[in-house]
Amino acid sequence: MHQPLVAISTDVRQFDNYTWHAAPKQYLEAAVSGAGVFPVLVPNFGDRLDLDQLLASVDGVMITGSKSNVHPSLYGGDASEANGPYDPDRDATTLPLIRKAIDYGVPLLAICRGIQEMNVALGGTLATELQEREGSLDHRAPVSDIQDERFAIRQNVTIKPGSCLAGIFGPGDIMVNSVHRQGVDRLGSRLQLEAVAEDGTVEAVSAKDARAFAVGVQWHPEYWVQSDSVSARIFKAFGDAVRQHAVAKQSARSAAE
């Protein structure tokens, strides 16, 4: 079975006396089994990478979640230790990758930290410690050593009528998980709202000038892609967009020959 290539973001981590550029298995598994694509990990070397060549070679981009946060200096926020941890090498790679993917019409799916990177990349700002804001829900994971409990589907999200996600789920409400402490504040000028939580927290966005699927979600569909229909539909929609891009690219090449 043909599997289009999809670029997957990584984190810079220190363990076993090495510096690793790595991604959690859940995202890679969801890419393969949920979207039907071939994940290709992108190391975090910023402008040393030819992202134009990368995007000419792949048919999609997925920006993963992470424990780290986008560095506040990129959106005029408070760069304190309390708002960390940070991964500046990832920021230097993912933000231009997001902008280029949208400009080039390469399908994009951004998850958790990914939606925050997407917002900052397109001129928006982030709010930290959402649970401390008056009237806000606690969007952090439940306290537990069991991952299934931490990532439990427990939060109601309302899909905006006429949005990209409404085309996937229909308008109305869906149930998702919630494992974050910061989120979108001022929306980037090139983004439009797709979904909100009950307290008004931005839960999904899309690029309004994109020529292809370009969606960011604040929750973690990768975790339950095998058993939850909402999670599965997001990855299927992304995978379908990736395959459409691959077919269109091949048709353009054939026409040019």
Side-chain angles (χ1 to χ4, degrees):
M1 180 179 65
H2 177 64
Q3 294 175 312
L5 302 180
V6 168
I8 310 287
S9 65
T10 59
D11 300 325
V12 179
R13 295 293 179 89
Q14 305 289 334
F15 55 93
D16 289 345
N17 294 319
Y18 288 98
T19 299
W20 296 74
H21 293 226
K25 178 182 177 180
Q26 284 87 351
Y27 295 97
L28 308 181
E29 179 65 42
V32 174
S33 63
V37 301
F38 190 126
V40 178
L41 298 184
V42 179
N44 294 302
F45 292 115
D47 60 10
R48 295 167 61 193
L49 299 177
D50 186 344
L51 297 180
D52 299 297
Q53 180 61 43
L54 173 66
L55 290 169
S57 303
V58 302
D59 293 299
V61 173
M62 186 168 79
I63 308 297
T64 65
S66 176
K67 184 177 181 180
S68 68
N69 292 325
V70 178
H71 199 278
S73 64
L74 297 170
Y75 58 88
D78 177 17
S80 66
E81 184 177 344
N83 288 332
Y86 304 120
D87 189 342
D89 289 333
R90 169 168 166 149
D91 296 337
T93 305
T94 54
L95 270 61
L97 178 58
I98 288 167
R99 287 190 289 264
K100 286 177 179 289
I102 294 171
D103 289 343
Y104 294 171
V106 177
L108 168 71
L109 175 61
I111 297 171
C112 195
R113 188 195 206 270
I115 187 179
Q116 297 170 20
E117 289 165 291
M118 190 175 177
N119 192 49
V120 172
L122 299 180
T125 63
L126 303 179
T128 60
E129 308 304 334
L130 295 175
Q131 70 281 356
E132 296 178 0
R133 299 199 303 185
E134 184 176 355
S136 177
L137 298 172
D138 191 341
H139 293 269
R140 295 174 296 180
V143 178
S144 176
D145 292 329
I146 301 171
Q147 283 291 81
D148 283 3
E149 293 180 357
R150 297 184 68 250
F151 283 83
I153 295 172
R154 61 186 177 86
Q155 178 175 278
N156 188 76
V157 166
T158 301
I159 304 297
K160 182 181 177 183
S163 65
C164 177
L165 290 186
I168 298 172
F169 303 117
D173 295 354
I174 59 174
M175 294 296 293
V176 302
N177 50 25
S178 186
V179 191
H180 64 104
R181 59 182 238 260
Q182 68 174 33
V184 171
D185 189 11
R186 187 187 75 245
L187 199 62
S189 60
R190 295 175 61 186
L191 294 176
Q192 58 190 6
L193 190 64
E194 291 274 332
V196 294
E198 294 176 0
D199 61 355
T201 296
V202 174
E203 290 290 337
V205 300
S206 63
K208 56 189 177 184
D209 59 349
R211 292 179 285 131
F213 183 99
V215 171
V217 297
Q218 185 58 73
W219 65 91
H220 285 269
E222 81 287 347
Y223 196 87
W224 298 109
V225 71
Q226 302 281 12
S227 58
D228 172 58
S229 63
V230 168
S231 301
R233 283 190 213 176
I234 292 176
F235 277 94
K236 182 181 184 303
F238 175 59
D240 288 346
V242 169
R243 281 179 283 277
Q244 290 170 10
H245 181 75
V247 169
K249 191 164 67 175
Q250 183 57 47
S251 296
R253 287 174 179 167
S254 298
E257 292 176 352

